[in-house]
Amino acid sequence: MQKTKKATIREVACLSGVGIATVSRVINGNYPVSEAVRADVWKAINTLNYRPNIAARSLKTQKSKMAGVIVADLSNLFFMQLVKGLEKELSAHGYNMILAAHDEDPGKERELVEMLLENNVAAIVTTTCQTDNRYFASLKDTGVPIILVDRVMDGLPLDCISEDNEDASFRAVRSLTDNGHRRIAVVNGLLTVSTAALRYSGYLRALREADIPVFAPYIVDAGNGTAYPATLRLFSLPARDWPTAMFCTNNRRAEGALRALKELDLSVPRDISMVSYGDISLPWLFSIRLTHVHQDLLALGRRTGELTVRRIEDGGDRIREILRSELIIGDSVRSQAPE
Amino acid sequence: MQKTKKATIREVACLSGVGIATVSRVINGNYPVSEAVRADVWKAINTLNYRPNIAARSLKTQKSKMAGVIVADLSNLFFMQLVKGLEKELSAHGYNMILAAHDEDPGKERELVEMLLENNVAAIVTTTCQTDNRYFASLKDTGVPIILVDRVMDGLPLDCISEDNEDASFRAVRSLTDNGHRRIAVVNGLLTVSTAALRYSGYLRALREADIPVFAPYIVDAGNGTAYPATLRLFSLPARDWPTAMFCTNNRRAEGALRALKELDLSVPRDISMVSYGDISLPWLFSIRLTHVHQDLLALGRRTGELTVRRIEDGGDRIREILRSELIIGDSVRSQAPE
DNA sequence: GTGAAAGCGCTAACAA
DNA sequence: TTGTTAGCGCTTTCAC
C-alpha cells in the first residue's frame, strides 16, 4: 500500500529510470517506445498505483473527454431513458458525462451551462427550457458544441434532434376525430417548451381539419405540474359539456389524467377515450392498451450521442434532425356516434 | 461578440490594468480588494466573457467540486430518485456530479471508479456491485472518500448508508405468515448484491419463526433480469404446489411478477397474495394497493449527499448508517385459512 | 492592497 | 528512441 496520496508522472519516470516524456508516451501510446522501456514503465505505474491526472492533461491539451448533459428532471423515466441511450453511445467513444437537471428553470439551466463551460466539457447536450434564444446565441464564441435534444429552438446554429411532435400529435388526435369524436380535450404542458407548443399545434390542426371549433374549457393547462388536478377541473364542467376524448401531451400527463379518471370513476374508453403522446410506465398493468405516440428514447439518446461525438471530433455542419415517431393503436378510443 | 475561444485570467488582468493575482482575488473573494479595482475587474470579466478554468484551478488547489456517482442502472426509477435527492443536496453545497452506471458489472464499476479518480472527484458515491471488498480496500490510499449507498459491504473503512433490508423484509414476510400463509415464494435478485442477500435472509427468518420449512421451488431466482419469466416458471409447478403468496424483493421484480400474474390470469390477492420490497410505479393505476416496504429514496439520496459533503469538507470518522423503512399495509394479502 | 513569480501534472515541440 | 523544457490557466506565497 502506498503512503503517497497521488503518484505523479514524475515519480513514475523516476522509479522506472526514464524521462518524464517517455512515461507520457507509454501512457498515451502515441509515439514509439522500446518494448523494454515500456514494460519498465508499466511496472512502475502499477507499483506506484499511478493514475494520470485528467485535469492536467486537459489543461495542456485543451481537450476534454467529458460531455455535459442537462435534462429537465432526473426522476422522470422519459429523460433517464434518453440519458441511458446517450451514455451508452458516449461511453462507447470514451466520453463520460456530467449530468444535471434544470427542473424547468431557465435561469438554472443557464447556470448549469456556465458550470459545464467552466469545466471544459467537450460538448453540451440539453433538453432546454430557455424561452428565448439569445443565451445560446451568446455562447457561439465559446466553441463548445451545443446539442439540443427533444426540445429545440429556432434561429440558432445549433444541432437539434427531436421528434415530429406536431405531426405525431396531429395523427394521434386524428385517430380521435376519425372515430367520430368532436369534443376533445387536450392536456397541455408549459407552452414555452417547444415540444408542448408543437403538440398543441398538432391538436389544433387535427381539429381544424375536422372542422371542429376550439372550445376553450377543453384546453387544459397542466403547466409544469401533474395533470391530476387539471383533469379533475376539466370534469367539474357540467356533465353535458364533458369531452368524449382527451389527448394527453406527455407520459406524465397521461398518468396524471388516468389517475384523476380513476378517482372520478370514469373508465377508459367506456366513459372517455384517450390518446397520449409518449409511453406510460408499466403499460401491461393497465387494463386497456393506450393508443399513444410511441417514443423510442433509447434510440433518440443513442442518436444524440452519435451526433455529439461526431460534432466534437469531426466538426462539420450543424444538423437538424427530426425522428418520425409511430402512433400505436390500442383500445383506449371508442367509436363515437355522431351526436 | 468575442473572437477569442476562451478568455484567460491574464487577459482579464491586462484589460483591467491590474495584476493577474488581483483578478484571482476578485473572482474568489478571499482576499481584500479595493472597491474601485473590483469594479474594473468585473467589467473586464464581463466584456471578455471570461469563465474561470476549473481544471487549472483544481490542478493548483488539489481540490475539486465534482462528485462521482455510480448507480446500477440509469433507467431504473429507484436509482434515479436516489440520484435526484443526492444531486439536490450536492448542488446545494456547490458540488456537481459525474454520473455513470455499472449495469451490475463489477469490472465496469471498477473502471468507472478509476475514471472518477483520474478526474479528481472529491468523493465517490456508489451503489456497488463488487463481490469482494479487496478493490475498495486497495483504494484507501487515494484519500478519496468512497460512500456506499443502498448496497453495502463489510470489513471496509468506508461510509455506508443503507436501509434495514433484513428486518424490513422480515416484517414484510411476517405480514404473510401472520395471515396464515405457509406457501410463500420469494423472488430473489442476484444474491451477490447485499440488499438481495439481506432481503432473502429476512424472508428465511420469517419462515423460520413461523416454523415453515423452506421449499426449494419457492425460491425463485430472477437474477439480474426481470421477474417475469421467473414467475411464469414458478406457476409451471403442479397447481396443488402453487404458493399462496409471493414476496418480491424489489420494485422491478414486483412489476415483473405482476405482469406474469396478469398474463396467467391470476388475481391479487384472490388467487395469490403479494408483498414487495419497494414501491412500484403508478401504484394508483393498479387496482389494489400493494402491501410493500416503502422506500424514501429522495430522503436516502439527500442523507447520502449530506454525508458526502461532510466527509469531503470536515473529514471525521466513517459512519455506517441504517435507515429504518416502513411497511405499508395495502390489500394485496388475503387471510389464508389453515390447510 | 497589489504584483511578480513559482509551480500544480501533464503534453508536445525540439534536441540529442 | 529518448530526455529536456516550455507552457496550459490558475492560486498563493512573498515582497512591496
Side-chain angles (χ1 to χ4, degrees), chain A residues 9 24 28 50 53 57 60:
Chain A
I9 200 172
S24 172
N28 295 296
Y50 168 75
N53 182 329
R57 172 183 296 170
K60 179 66 191 173

Side-chain angles (χ1 to χ4, degrees), chain B residues 11-51:
Chain B
E11 304 177 53
V12 174
C14 198
L15 178 61
S16 48
V18 303
I20 182 181
T22 302
V23 177
S24 172
R25 292 182 187 115
V26 170
I27 292 162
N28 296 296
N30 47 359
Y31 289 93
V33 174
S34 78
E35 204 44 67
V37 171
R38 191 202 312 285
D40 287 351
V41 170
W42 275 117
K43 190 151 42 116
I45 286 177
N46 288 325
T47 61
L48 287 176
N49 234 294
Y50 168 75
R51 291 183 186 85

Side-chain angles (χ1 to χ4, degrees), chain A residues 140-158:
Chain A
K140 202 179 52 190
D141 56 301
T142 60
V144 176
I146 296 181
I147 291 94
L148 303 187
V149 59
D150 180 50
R151 304 157 171 205
V152 303
M153 302 184 80
D154 291 324
L156 242 28
L158 302 180

Side-chain angles (χ1 to χ4, degrees), chain B residues 177-328:
Chain B
T177 58
D178 281 353
N179 275 284
H181 289 273
R182 299 185 59 80
R183 288 151 53 174
I184 303 172
V186 59
V187 183
N188 279 325
L190 287 175
L191 293 179
T192 51
V193 172
S194 72
T195 47
L198 288 168
R199 290 171 196 178
Y200 181 47
S201 290
Y203 162 84
L204 292 176
R205 177 156 68 95
L207 258 55
R208 209 161 47 236
E209 276 209 6
D211 278 322
I212 302 174
V214 172
F215 180 48
Y218 289 173
I219 315 299
V220 175
D221 180 16
N224 186 14
T226 158
Y228 171 75
T231 305
L232 290 183
R233 245 178 290 128
L234 178 63
F235 287 94
S236 65
L237 287 172
R240 64 172 183 287
D241 284 339
W242 283 3
T244 62
M246 305 178 67
F247 171 48
C248 295
T249 53
N250 80 4
N251 59 333
R252 285 274 171 103
R253 294 191 271 276
E255 292 162 2
L258 287 171
R259 178 180 186 183
L261 293 179
K262 179 151 196 218
E263 208 162 296
L264 293 164
D265 215 26
L266 293 172
S267 123
V268 177
R270 194 194 59 206
D271 304 312
I272 181 145
S273 296
M274 179 179 291
V275 299
S276 84
Y277 201 116
D279 306 66
I280 60 171
S281 299
L282 312 187
W284 22 269
L285 281 194
F286 192 49
S287 47
I288 54 111
R289 290 170 306 126
L290 194 60
T291 294
H292 67 284
V293 176
H294 171 64
Q295 302 179 282
D296 189 345
L297 282 324
L298 246 68
L300 181 61
R302 296 192 79 124
R303 184 77 194 92
T304 306
E306 228 174 275
L307 175 60
T308 304
V309 173
R310 176 145 55 93
R311 186 61 68 243
I312 294 170
E313 301 187 344
D314 302 340
D317 286 338
R318 304 281 171 265
I319 67 167
R320 178 167 294 254
E321 187 163 313
I322 297 178
L323 304 181
R324 180 174 170 83
S325 33
E326 190 192 357
L327 181 68
I328 310 251

Side-chain angles (χ1 to χ4, degrees), chain A residues 10-40:
Chain A
R10 190 166 275 99
E11 304 176 52
V12 175
C14 197
L15 179 61
S16 48
V18 302
I20 183 180
T22 302
V23 177
S24 172
R25 295 194 258 263
V26 170
I27 292 162
N28 295 296
N30 47 358
Y31 288 94
V33 174
S34 79
E35 202 44 68
V37 171
R38 192 203 312 287
D40 286 351

Side-chain angles (χ1 to χ4, degrees), chain B residues 116-147:
Chain B
L116 294 171
L117 291 172
E118 294 181 357
N119 278 279
N120 296 310
V121 293
I124 296 176
V125 177
T126 177
T127 60
T128 191
C129 65
Q130 296 302 304
T131 56
D132 85 57
N133 58 22
R134 276 174 303 182
Y135 176 66
F136 285 130
S138 78
L139 261 32
K140 202 179 53 189
D141 56 302
T142 61
V144 176
I146 296 181
I147 291 94

